[in-house]
């Protein structure tokens, strides 16, 4: 299903909406971790998103062929479950701005995995972009909040691992699931996510915390993170993959660092020169990666 030639503007509008939503997710994770544990934030957001999708699952139950379910299971694990725990754990040590910047390596991972495992063509400009992106990532990992170069924080590698998984997920959607309705495909992916997240929550006191009146504000943060960040935004993102390409959709991370930094500054976080420099190098690399990638018809580089 590729109707990008009919409405290329739609892909760009949806991409911006996803960036605003996911860029805000980093600060919501930080705020939620003040009350909830890593497991509660990661599993809680996914469980709340699963509840949101339950009515849609019933309405679209005849739209998903059974032979697509294995690929949806891969998408569930690589695009949602494991990254949610990695980002929540990283949020206990990294500020939201740095998390957002490191997340901008997703297009690079999408391209590399696409070339190696999904027969995507290799182009010199894209390879140059990969190298620049990795150099920029290294600058971010080696810089602390005071602006000095320091030893690498292992928590940064949790974000990098998540970007690799996002690359697997995007390529899987683009190559195996792009012909399915975006809403139905996303909803039924959460068939796998819901039970996994619920089992994880039973190992915590999440339900006691979320029903405590004094925890109303962090619970609302978590609700927004689940329903909007993991739910609605995922539908929009999957639609962008269908309208354009997996690599174009992963370019949402052009904008996510800007949104994350904006929220970080408003929340009193300090951004170092090395972090600005690293972000600039990463974004330059991603620009080169996407410069000749498939874009919606009528969109110029």
């Amino acid at each position: 299903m590729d109707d990008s030639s009919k409405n290329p503007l739609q892909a760009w509008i949806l991409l911006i909406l996803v960036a605003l939503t996911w860029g805000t997710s980093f600060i919501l994770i930080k705020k939620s971790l003040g009350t909830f544990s890593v497991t509660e934030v990661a599993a809680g957001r996914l469980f709340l998103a699963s509840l949101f999708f339950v009515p849609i699952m019933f309405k679209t139950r005849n739209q998903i062929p059974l032979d697509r379910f294995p690929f949806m299971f891969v998408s569930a694990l690589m695009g949602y479950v494991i990254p949610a725990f990695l980002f929540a754990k990283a949020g206990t040590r990294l500020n939201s701005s740095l998390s957002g910047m490191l997340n901008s390596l997703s297009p690079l991972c999408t391209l590399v995995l696409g070339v190696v495992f999904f027969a995507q063509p290799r182009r010199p400009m894209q390879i140059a972009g990969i190298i620049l992106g990795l150099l920029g990532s290294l600058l971010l990992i080696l810089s602390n909040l005071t602006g000095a170069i320091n030893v690498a924080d292992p928590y940064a590698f949790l974000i990098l691992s998540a970007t690799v998984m996002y690359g697997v997920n995007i390529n899987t959607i683009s190559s195996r699931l792009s012909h399915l309705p975006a809403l139905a495909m996303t909803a039924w992916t959460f068939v796998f996510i819901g039970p996994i997240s619920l089992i994880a929550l039973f190992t915590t006191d999440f339900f006691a915390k979320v029903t405590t009146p004094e925890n109303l504000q962090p619970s609302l943060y978590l609700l927004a993170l689940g329903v909007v960040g993991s739910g609605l935004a995922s539908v929009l993102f999957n639609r962008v993959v269908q309208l354009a390409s997996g690599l174009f959709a992963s370019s949402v991370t052009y904008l996510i660092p800007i949104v994350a930094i904006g929220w970080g500054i408003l929340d009193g976080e300090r951004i170092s020169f090395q972090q600005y420099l690293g972000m600039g190098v990463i974004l330059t690399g991603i620009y080169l990666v996407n410069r000749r990638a498939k874009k919606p018809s009528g969109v110029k580089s």
Side-chain angles (χ1 to χ4, degrees):
M1 180 185 297
D2 186 359
D3 53 2
S4 59
S5 59
K6 298 179 182 179
N7 194 352
L9 181 61
Q10 183 183 0
W12 282 100
I13 292 174
L14 294 180
L15 195 74
I16 292 171
L17 290 175
V18 173
L20 290 172
T21 304
W22 283 349
T24 303
S25 294
F26 297 103
I27 194 68
L28 291 177
I29 290 173
K30 178 181 176 181
K31 295 294 186 181
S32 300
L33 286 169
T35 299
F36 298 100
S37 69
V38 169
T39 299
E40 289 167 344
V41 170
R45 66 183 291 189
L46 296 177
F47 176 69
L48 292 171
S50 299
L51 293 180
F52 168 79
F53 280 120
V54 167
I56 302 172
M57 291 175 193
F58 283 104
K59 187 175 181 180
T60 62
R61 60 185 179 276
N62 297 321
Q63 298 182 19
I64 307 296
L66 290 178
D67 64 351
R68 298 297 93 182
F69 275 81
F71 301 110
M72 293 168 67
F73 179 69
V74 171
S75 178
L77 289 181
M78 295 294 180
Y80 300 92
V81 176
I82 301 176
F85 282 88
L86 293 177
F87 272 104
K89 185 65 175 178
T92 63
R93 284 279 297 272
L94 304 180
N95 68 11
S96 57
S97 302
L98 181 56
S99 295
M101 288 185 249
L102 286 170
N103 188 53
S104 62
L105 279 173
S106 294
L108 302 177
C109 296
T110 300
L111 175 65
V112 171
L113 292 169
V115 168
V116 175
F117 297 107
F118 294 87
Q120 296 289 338
R122 290 176 289 182
R123 299 184 177 94
M125 193 68 71
Q126 293 177 333
I127 294 174
I130 291 173
I131 295 173
L132 275 179
L134 293 176
L135 289 176
S137 175
L138 186 61
L139 276 174
L140 294 182
I141 295 171
L142 297 178
S143 62
N144 61 23
L145 297 183
T146 66
I149 299 297
N150 204 343
V151 295
D153 191 328
Y155 281 73
F157 289 96
L158 297 179
I159 304 294
L160 295 181
S161 298
T163 64
V164 173
M165 294 178 189
Y166 284 152
V168 173
N169 177 50
I170 291 169
N171 278 296
T172 299
I173 293 173
S174 182
S175 64
R176 304 296 185 182
L177 302 171
S178 62
H179 62 289
L180 301 176
L183 182 60
M185 185 251 297
T186 308
W188 280 92
T189 299
F190 273 82
V191 166
F192 302 104
I193 296 171
I196 294 173
S197 58
L198 183 59
I199 291 172
L201 289 176
F202 279 142
T203 66
T204 71
D205 56 351
F206 170 79
F207 294 102
K209 288 181 180 178
V210 82
T211 55
T212 302
E214 55 264 31
N215 291 335
L216 176 61
Q217 189 172 40
S219 296
L220 290 176
Y221 289 144
L222 196 57
L223 180 64
L225 192 60
V227 174
V228 181
S230 294
L232 289 174
S234 296
V235 176
L236 299 181
F237 179 80
N238 291 339
R239 183 58 179 152
V240 175
V241 174
Q242 294 176 336
L243 284 170
S245 69
L247 194 55
F248 175 79
S250 67
S251 296
V252 66
T253 51
Y254 274 129
L255 304 174
I256 285 177
I258 298 173
V259 178
I261 285 175
W263 281 111
I265 292 174
L266 289 176
D267 196 48
E269 295 179 355
R270 292 180 296 171
I271 312 300
S272 72
F273 171 76
Q274 281 82 5
Q275 289 173 337
Y276 280 119
L277 180 61
M279 183 180 66
V281 173
I282 283 177
L283 294 181
T284 301
I286 296 172
Y287 169 75
L288 294 176
V289 165
N290 285 273
R291 189 161 177 254
R292 296 190 179 183
K294 177 183 176 185
K295 289 182 172 66
S297 178
V299 176
K300 298 180 180 180
S301 298

